[in-house]
Each structure stands twice: as structure tokens, then as C-alpha cells.
Amino acid sequence: MIRSTTLRRFGLGVVLTSVLALVSDPVAASNAAVGLAGASQDNLSVPRWLYLATGGATVGASALLASFVTDRRFIERVHLWRTTTGFSDSLVSVFRATGSLLGLVLLALVVYLGYTGPQVPTVSFAIILVFAGLRAGYTMFTYLVADTWRALNPWRTVATVVPNGFVSYPDRLGRWPAVFGILALVWVETATNVTSRPKTLATALVGYSAVTLVGAILVGADTWFDRIDPVSVFLHFYGRVAPIRLDDDGLSVRLPGMRLVTDDDMTDLADIAVTVVLVWELTFSGFVTTEQGAAAIRAAVDVGVPPLVVYGLLYLGGFGVFFGLYVLAARVTARRIDTFETPLSLAVRFAPPLLVIAAGYHLAHYFGFFISLSPMLAEALMSPLSSPANPLVLTLPAWFGALNIVFILFGHLFAVWVAHSQAYRTFPSRMQAVWSQFPFVAAMILYTIISLWLISLPTATPPFI
Amino acid sequence: MTTDTDAPRDRHLCETCTEAYPTARLLVLHRGARHPDALDATEIEAYREAYYEEERELKSFRIRALGVLVLLYFGFLMLFIMYAS
């Protein structure tokens, strides 16, 4: 039998080689033979279909490689590994109080400066903080390090100090309100000018605050922020990928993504829908900002369909397709495997890997954006009341584009391992554990190909909005 | 976790955790992997047998998977030779 360390090294080697082969630039292999430089300067040009097929095959091959690891004890050791540190109660309350205060101050500043500050997006504190800060940087922090939104959330801070919980929330609704909430927020972000007009953003925030506070006071802060509030659910789901968790017991560190295997806190179809929304919203915004996407929308509008209807159909239809594909994978698995698990229970168990995929996409879409705007964000946070005369933006080197491919592929590779561990937890037979993953891996390969295709296209401004 | 309780099939129940499995072999594998301390001598023997039987299936699966990996490798090598320039 092959030893697992050898297997791991072999697997890692294959993965790294394939990633390097995908992103490497032959010119980078410079050497002392300057006289031959002219002969070796041509870049290797790979047709797009081959680049996409290689990306898909990398995910498929890594799923096959993962299936070679059949030692239950090794798999359990990986996902159960943890180290914990306790905090004193006073330190926890200091963290909480600081977080609450910071959240309230930032919300007040965003709304105040949104109305009174300069109406230019690149110097507006409100726009920079919400989009470069919360949407890009803080979301990355949430899945790469730890979820701290519970302490920071200003609406929760307010809602918990007043009497709340007057109406009981029907359990059967689950997290469906959050699914539609996230879809609605992304729609507002794409189709209105909140990203360019600070006043509109401030008004949207005031409206959001009113709805959130009334809702949280009516159904109770815990229920509202756990199930209904789109921003909290969005960050909470991303936070489950993070290696660090801070709670009343202190700080615990796990390997990245491994909480997804053991924390069974997904229960129904709505939770699966939330994870699919996280993957889909990034794919959608990726599509409408490419030249091909814009051309497709223009073509549909030329036929006579109103632009907003085209966007709406694409947005909800695409979500339906992604969701349907995933449910189909669960059905195929349930039919092909001798088990009493229902398609729903399998879908619930295999949904968490999608969160790692979503984190990889988010990083691919926002990392470059965040790094180039980070000086602007730092300046805005240090002196919120004085707008900079010359906002500083970093220019990214060309190889940053290759990082996006690495982020997407690594997200998928982690997801393959999470699905592998989950399969071993679910099925008593190792052969069943191996076969059960393949329909899900097929869905993942399709998602990879779509994402790699989107990031390879030239970008454009979405038309008509 | 929800399981399909109306299925008109044999149900092999685990006496330790009441989880149901469609075949006796799956139940043996489940008890061996999840409740190794609750097994008696005959169950241990049955688990060992089922485990080794599965080991043989896994071995044949690994050979096939290796075949697919080799095909993928050389297939892509050929595609890159032909289409990447």
C-alpha cells in the first residue's frame, strides 16, 4: 500500500506543477544566453478552449488524486486538528465594546459624509469604506482570518439594547429571506448608482438601517441577524471558511475550510441557496462587466426587450441554473448510491465546499481591486473628515492577473478536499465515499470553467445602467 | 439528518446509533468505522472481512483512476503540442 505522506507529496507536486504550467510565462525563464534571447522571446499562446479545459481537468485530476487517500484516520486527523486559547471575560468584553463602538462610529461617519462630503466616488469616505472596505477587504478578512461581524455590526448593537422579539418567526421560512436579501443588495449594487453617488449610498444605508432595526426589534435580534439580515448571513457564511473563530470560549484555530466538514449548521434548502447565491453573484457581476457579456445584453435589448428585464432574467435565471445544477448533482448521487440518504440531505452535506469556491472567486474578483485601492482606504480611515486632494491608487504589475487563476483553482482544490472529507463522514463504505463525490465534482468543474472563462475576457462597463 | 424512512426496502439498523442501512454489509462497515468499541468477536471478524473485500475494490479503482490520470496527462500533453504555439 502506498504511504499517505508519499501520496500527499505526489498530489501537491502535481497540483503545483499544473498551476505553474497554467500561469508561467516562458520569457520569465531568463538566463545568461543573451545572444539567443531574440530566438526565445515568443510567448506561448494557448487557445482559450485549451486553457479552460486545462483548468477543468486540474480540478478533475485533483478529485481523482484525493480519492487515492482512503485512510479514515488520516482524513479525520486533518479536519479535526485544532488549537485553542482561552480569553479572560474582561478581555472578551473589551473586544466586544471596542467592536460595537467602532461599528457605530463608522456607520454614522458613512451616512454623514455620504450626504455632506464631496460627491466624487474616488474621494468619498462613504463609497471607499463600503466598497473597498466592507465589500472587498473586510469580506476577505472574514474568510481568510476570522468572522468578527457579530461584534462590529452596528444594527445588532442598537437592536440588543432595546426590548426586542415581539413576533415569532415562522421556522419554515429558514434563511430564504436572506437569500432574496442578498440577491436584492447585489441587484442594487449593479443596477443603481450607489457605487458612484455618495448621497444615494447614504440614503440606501438609512433605508437599510430603518428596515433592519424595525425587523430586528420585531422578531428578535438573534433570529433577525442569524436568518434574515442579508449582510450578516453573507458574512457569517463566508466566516465559516475562516481558520480562526472567536467566541465566548476564546480563540480556536483550525485548518482553513475544515470547520465546514464538522460544523453541521446547514439544515435545509435555503442554506444551500445562500451558498449558491454567494457563488452566483460573483459570476453574474463578472459576466456583465465583460465585453462579451455587454454585447450579449446589447443584442437582447436590440431585439426589443427592456434592459432591466434582460438583466433581471439573466440574474435570476442564472441563479436558477446554478442552483438546479447543484440539486441535480445531489439527485444523481442519491440515485447511484445504495443509501437511505435523501437527495436533500446529501445536498445539505455537500453544500459547504461551495463556500470555499465562493471565497476563491471573491478573492479573484476583489484582491487586485482591494490592493490597488488600499492606500485610499487607509487614508480615508486615518482622516475621515478631510478628503484627500490627490487620491493615491497603486498600479498593479501584469502578473497580478495570473493570481486570479491561482485563487479560483485553489478555491476548487480546497473544495474537493472538503467534499472528500464530508463523503468519508457520511458513508460507511469507502467505495461509496469515492463515488458519491463525482457528480458534485462535475458541477465544480463546470463552475471552474465558467469562472476561468469570465476572468479571461476583456472587461467593459455594463451597458444601459 | 433526514433519511428516507418510507423506502420499501430492507432496513439494517445500527443498535448503537439507530442509523439505517440498505444492506448488511454497509451496516457492518458502519459499525466497524463508527463504533469499533461496541463490536463483539463475530462482528469484528465480519468487519475485517468486509474491510479487506473493500480494499480489493479500492485497489482496482486506484488502478483505473491512475489510468485516467495517465490518459489526462498525455492527452493534454498532445493537445498542448498541437494547439499551443
Side-chain angles (χ1 to χ4, degrees):
Chain A
M1 198 168 143
I2 314 169
R3 279 176 43 235
S4 57
T5 37
T6 326
L7 264 177
R8 259 177 290 160
R9 276 186 203 144
F10 176 60
L12 192 67
V14 170
V15 166
L16 287 180
T17 322
S18 33
V19 169
L20 281 177
L22 262 181
V23 301
S24 67
D25 175 356
V27 179
S30 60
N31 51 40
V34 188
L36 294 175
S40 66
Q41 255 182 9
D42 287 343
N43 276 3
L44 182 71
S45 85
V46 179
R48 188 173 280 141
W49 64 267
L50 189 53
Y51 146 80
L52 298 179
T54 313
T58 310
V59 176
S62 41
L64 276 179
L65 280 171
S67 73
F68 278 63
V69 184
T70 53
D71 182 351
R72 274 182 196 278
R73 270 172 303 179
F74 171 72
I75 295 168
E76 266 177 27
R77 248 201 339 268
V78 172
H79 70 240
L80 293 180
W81 181 87
R82 73 168 69 214
T83 166
T84 48
T85 326
F87 284 146
S88 67
D89 287 350
S90 52
L91 196 62
V92 172
S93 35
V94 169
F95 275 146
R96 284 240 170 85
T98 320
S100 307
L101 192 68
L102 189 68
L104 285 171
V105 169
L106 288 177
L107 176 64
L109 274 174
V110 165
V111 173
Y112 173 71
L113 292 171
Y115 283 122
T116 61
Q119 297 297 305
V120 181
T122 45
V123 293
S124 160
F125 177 83
I127 301 262
I128 295 173
L129 193 86
V130 171
F131 294 103
L134 186 71
R135 180 80 160 117
Y138 185 75
T139 309
M140 278 178 219
F141 178 82
T142 302
Y143 56 75
L144 293 176
V145 185
D147 177 14
T148 52
W149 182 245
R150 204 184 152 89
L152 206 63
N153 186 347
W155 299 286
R156 192 183 193 115
T157 309
V158 176
T160 43
V161 294
V162 295
N164 60 67
F166 302 102
V167 184
S168 74
Y169 177 72
D171 271 340
R172 68 194 152 80
L173 288 182
R175 287 199 174 101
W176 282 112
V179 174
F180 295 110
I182 297 172
L183 284 170
L185 286 189
V186 175
W187 179 257
V188 167
E189 185 192 49
T190 318
T192 67
N193 57 2
V194 285
T195 55
S196 56
R197 290 263 308 159
K199 269 189 186 143
T200 320
L201 177 64
T203 310
L205 271 173
V206 170
Y208 179 79
S209 305
V211 172
T212 305
L213 288 176
V214 171
I217 290 168
L218 277 180
V219 302
D222 282 335
T223 309
W224 180 269
F225 293 107
D226 183 47
R227 298 196 183 166
I228 305 167
D229 180 45
V231 176
S232 300
V233 170
F234 176 90
L235 290 168
H236 172 66
F237 270 59
Y238 268 127
R240 298 176 49 207
V241 180
I244 297 174
R245 178 165 291 175
L246 297 152
D247 52 24
D248 291 339
D249 304 328
L251 179 148
S252 75
V253 183
R254 299 274 297 271
L255 292 173
M258 290 304 127
R259 281 179 213 285
L260 297 170
V261 183
T262 50
D263 295 3
D264 296 313
D265 55 358
M266 283 203 188
T267 50
D268 57 15
L269 209 57
D271 294 348
I272 304 169
V274 174
T275 52
V276 176
V277 165
L278 298 192
V279 174
W280 169 245
E281 62 103 353
L282 291 162
T283 313
F284 171 74
S285 52
F287 180 71
V288 297
T289 51
T290 60
E291 275 177 14
Q292 278 78 351
I297 289 164
R298 269 195 214 98
V301 173
D302 287 346
V303 176
V305 193
L308 275 184
V309 176
V310 177
Y311 276 100
L313 282 178
L314 181 69
Y315 187 47
L316 295 178
F319 169 64
V321 170
F322 265 48
F323 189 55
L325 200 68
Y326 184 77
V327 173
L328 179 72
R331 278 181 181 279
V332 171
T333 301
R335 212 176 28 241
R336 288 177 48 132
I337 289 199
D338 201 8
T339 179
F340 285 136
E341 298 276 350
T342 58
L344 176 65
S345 76
L346 285 178
V348 166
R349 277 170 187 266
F350 285 95
L354 290 182
L355 290 174
V356 197
I357 294 178
Y361 289 3
H362 186 274
L363 213 51
H365 283 266
Y366 284 100
F367 185 69
F369 170 77
F370 175 70
I371 295 292
S372 68
L373 294 189
S374 53
M376 227 149 93
L377 181 65
E379 205 173 336
L381 284 173
M382 278 187 287
S383 53
L385 295 173
S386 62
S387 316
N390 286 313
L392 190 66
V393 178
L394 297 182
T395 305
L396 300 175
W399 54 265
F400 246 73
L403 275 183
N404 296 342
I405 303 176
V406 175
F407 292 146
I408 288 180
L409 283 179
F410 262 76
H412 281 274
L413 299 183
F414 261 104
V416 163
W417 184 260
V418 174
H420 185 68
S421 304
Q422 193 59 268
Y424 272 79
R425 267 190 85 212
T426 309
F427 294 104
S429 148
R430 289 171 294 166
M431 279 314 289
Q432 283 188 328
V434 167
W435 287 116
S436 67
Q437 300 163 45
F438 289 147
F440 294 101
V441 170
M444 287 182 199
I445 290 176
L446 206 68
Y447 292 162
T448 319
I449 291 178
I450 295 173
S451 296
L452 289 177
W453 176 62
L454 289 179
I455 61 165
S456 75
L457 298 176
T459 52
T461 318
F464 308 111
I465 50 176
Chain B
M1 191 51 59
T2 36
T3 42
D4 191 356
T5 45
D6 299 328
R9 301 163 66 188
D10 282 350
R11 298 173 65 79
H12 299 265
L13 285 176
C14 170
E15 53 194 60
T16 316
C17 68
T18 70
E19 191 79 29
Y21 291 95
T23 66
R25 180 166 171 266
L26 288 174
L27 177 64
V28 167
L29 285 169
H30 158 78
R31 287 183 59 79
R34 292 279 162 249
H35 319 290
D37 300 330
L39 303 189
D40 60 30
T42 42
E43 277 183 313
I44 290 177
E45 192 47 46
Y47 177 59
R48 187 167 289 157
E49 209 168 284
Y51 186 89
Y52 283 121
E53 193 190 322
E54 199 175 50
E55 196 65 40
R56 281 192 293 277
E57 285 173 35
L58 278 170
K59 201 171 173 183
S60 115
F61 169 77
R62 281 195 197 111
I63 293 169
R64 278 177 286 159
L66 197 62
V68 174
L69 283 174
V70 169
L71 269 182
L72 269 179
Y73 179 81
F74 284 102
F76 271 92
L77 192 66
M78 290 300 151
L79 286 176
F80 270 86
I81 288 171
M82 283 189 284
Y83 294 102
S85 51

